[in-house]
Amino acid sequence: MQMKTFRAATSTAAFEKIKAELGDDAVILSNKTISENGSKCCEIVAAIDSAPAAPKRQSKESIVEDALENTVGWQREWSQIKGQIMALMKPQIDLNALSPKQKIAMEYLEREDADETVMTRIFCDLREDKNKSVLPVLESLVNVKAFKAQNWSGTFHAFAGPGGAGKTSSLVRLALKEKKRNPKARICLATADGGRGKGRIVLKHYAELSGLAFREIITRDDFLLLQKEADQFDMILIDLPGLPGKATLEEWSALYGLSTCEDLSIHLVLNPYYSTKQFERFIEKYKSEQLASVIWTKLDEACTFGAILNMAFVSGLPVSALSYGSGLKNSIAPATTEMIWRLLFMRKLPGGDIQP
Ligand SMILES: Nc1nc2c(ncn2[C@@H]2O[C@H](COP(=O)(O)OP(=O)(O)O)[C@@H](O)[C@H]2O)c(=O)[nH]1
Ligand SMILES: [Mg+2]
């Protein structure tokens, strides 16, 4: 048996090292948080029965073949079925079957990048009644649950999403907003993002500045500890890392013990200007039973807002906050339905500015 100790800033990084060096068959013997040169890190002892197989050399052709073979079958099938349903539906979507007002609304939403599934759903609803306005239809499509302590019963809130989406800054700004609204609120900021990354420093800085508690989650032990002290806090906000490669939120949550925490809501932080394919990927990557809302960021940089409708329809998740600037002040708002309609139909940001 070959045994080796691995150290890295987080469990995820340590597991990556183990996978690269010992392969998928490695057995974990221990996994703990230790102190190294004054900062915390993760130490894992892993073992493997025999020497790991040398990575096989691949020709260009075999890489292409592997890639084609590995395309997840059902994903491809589903997107084909969806494409065919849409192709069948499209000729049925005759905008002239609607009232002139309804037609204008549909054309507007199409320009705003509302996708085919959303357009089909709205069309079917409007076609039933020529006097029906588009707003009640949209209201049945997009739910809102503002990010305010009184709206959410659980203590733990984790912020997930792609790197650079605005997780750390949304978390800090929402925590400061909550503290301002209720100075007695006992709020804890916790980082599970990379141990030594910039996000950690930002979080620590604002926690110290604003009298908030600060914790680091390097391994699942740290999260267990935080759960044990949870009754000291009214709200615990956790900054999750952007997950690299094929890593999924479900895997990550299981690894760190978040998936068994019943008191946890995960908020997905997204920008409206990712491509349709990218959104499809994120929906797969970040799917989780604990996903509870979407926080839309960088609205000030977007030129269409149809993604908010598309995501609401496909995920059924409410929108909890809207971020519209990089500054600390007046740049994030707990969401309201009015804000979303103003954004969609008037290009008015929650702060009042009009988008070009
Ligand atoms: N323009 C604009 N910039 C934002 C917004 N939210 C975050 N940012 C900026 O986007 C960058 C990445 O944000 P960060 O919170 O570090 O992203 P993370 O990697 O998801 O934690 C930072 O420079 C933020 O200041 C927003 O709503 N509008
Ligand atoms: Mg961050």
Side-chain angles (χ1 to χ4, degrees):
M1 180 181 270
Q2 185 190 344
M3 218 161 85
K4 194 165 175 191
T5 303
F6 293 83
R7 280 187 190 161
T10 61
S11 288
T12 320
F15 275 104
E16 269 168 25
K17 278 190 185 175
I18 294 167
K19 222 173 180 177
E21 212 168 300
L22 301 183
D24 287 336
D25 295 332
V27 181
I28 306 304
L29 302 179
S30 74
N31 177 2
K32 57 186 180 194
T33 306
I34 58 156
S35 266
E36 189 179 54
N37 303 329
S39 54
K40 285 184 178 179
C41 74
C42 166
E43 183 186 272
I44 298 183
V45 180
I48 186 156
D49 259 347
S50 52
K56 70 174 178 202
R57 281 194 168 274
Q58 282 186 305
S59 67
K60 278 187 216 161
E61 287 73 20
S62 72
I63 290 174
V64 173
E65 263 170 37
D66 277 3
L68 292 178
E69 263 174 33
N70 285 335
T71 310
V72 187
W74 69 266
Q75 256 179 357
R76 199 172 39 194
E77 249 169 53
W78 169 239
S79 90
Q80 276 169 3
I81 294 170
K82 210 166 119 188
Q84 280 160 6
I85 295 174
M86 282 303 148
L88 283 172
M89 287 298 294
K90 217 159 186 184
Q92 318 268 338
I93 303 185
D94 174 12
L95 294 189
N96 292 321
L98 303 175
S99 72
K101 233 177 166 176
Q102 290 174 332
K103 188 177 167 188
I104 290 172
M106 285 287 285
E107 286 166 346
Y108 182 89
L109 291 174
E110 193 160 26
R111 283 199 301 278
E112 275 296 301
D113 288 335
D115 67 18
E116 281 176 337
T117 30
V118 164
M119 293 299 285
T120 309
R121 156 74 201 274
I122 299 172
F123 175 77
C124 291
D125 267 23
L126 290 179
R127 195 180 45 180
E128 282 172 10
D129 177 0
K130 287 206 174 205
N131 294 319
K132 199 168 190 176
S133 138
V134 75
L135 220 50
V137 180
L138 294 181
E139 258 158 20
S140 68
L141 211 77
V142 184
N143 294 314
V144 163
K145 186 172 175 183
F147 196 98
K148 288 179 185 166
Q150 73 257 32
N151 286 351
W152 296 83
S153 54
T155 308
F156 287 91
H157 296 271
F159 289 53
K167 297 179 292 296
T168 309
S169 31
S170 299
L171 185 156
V172 165
R173 289 176 292 165
L174 288 169
L176 296 182
K177 237 182 189 6
E178 198 54 43
K179 186 76 183 166
K180 193 169 174 196
R181 204 185 55 79
N182 174 15
K184 286 199 185 127
R186 299 164 307 163
I187 299 174
C188 173
L189 309 187
T191 180
D193 182 14
R196 287 160 199 166
K198 190 169 152 252
R200 171 186 172 272
I201 298 164
V202 172
L203 233 54
K204 193 163 188 242
H205 170 79
Y206 283 109
E208 281 169 3
L209 218 62
S210 318
L212 312 176
F214 174 75
R215 299 286 185 275
E216 276 181 83
I217 299 169
I218 310 264
T219 62
R220 72 188 289 139
D221 290 353
D222 300 316
F223 185 61
L224 270 175
L225 214 64
L226 191 54
Q227 277 176 287
K228 282 192 187 131
E229 52 173 0
D231 54 3
Q232 290 178 33
F233 301 113
D234 302 309
M235 227 180 182
I236 300 173
L237 306 179
I238 308 172
D239 195 17
L240 300 184
L243 305 172
K246 285 187 183 160
T248 64
L249 179 61
E250 272 178 345
E251 279 167 11
W252 195 95
S253 305
L255 182 61
Y256 283 80
L258 266 66
S259 50
T260 50
C261 175
E262 284 174 7
D263 199 14
L264 173 84
S265 303
I266 303 181
H267 307 277
L268 184 57
V269 181
L270 293 172
N271 313 151
Y273 48 79
Y274 299 116
S275 71
T276 311
K277 275 262 173 326
Q278 197 67 65
F279 274 116
E280 281 172 10
R281 170 61 62 88
F282 289 150
I283 286 162
E284 264 309 299
K285 196 177 174 78
Y286 292 98
K287 71 169 189 275
S288 157
E289 296 265 319
Q290 291 163 306
L291 217 52
S293 86
V294 181
I295 293 174
W296 289 102
T297 55
K298 309 203 180 180
L299 299 172
D300 55 312
E301 290 177 349
C303 65
T304 62
F305 301 101
I308 298 178
L309 298 179
N310 302 342
M311 190 68 189
F313 187 56
V314 71
S315 71
L317 293 170
V319 178
S320 63
L322 300 169
S323 164
Y324 49 94
S326 56
L328 201 58
K329 281 193 177 156
N330 303 328
S331 55
I332 198 163
T336 67
T337 14
E338 288 77 9
M339 281 178 194
I340 294 176
W341 307 144
R342 267 189 234 127
L343 198 58
L344 202 59
F345 291 105
M346 298 161 73
R347 305 190 161 247
K348 201 169 188 180
L349 297 174
D353 288 345
I354 307 278
Q355 276 297 87

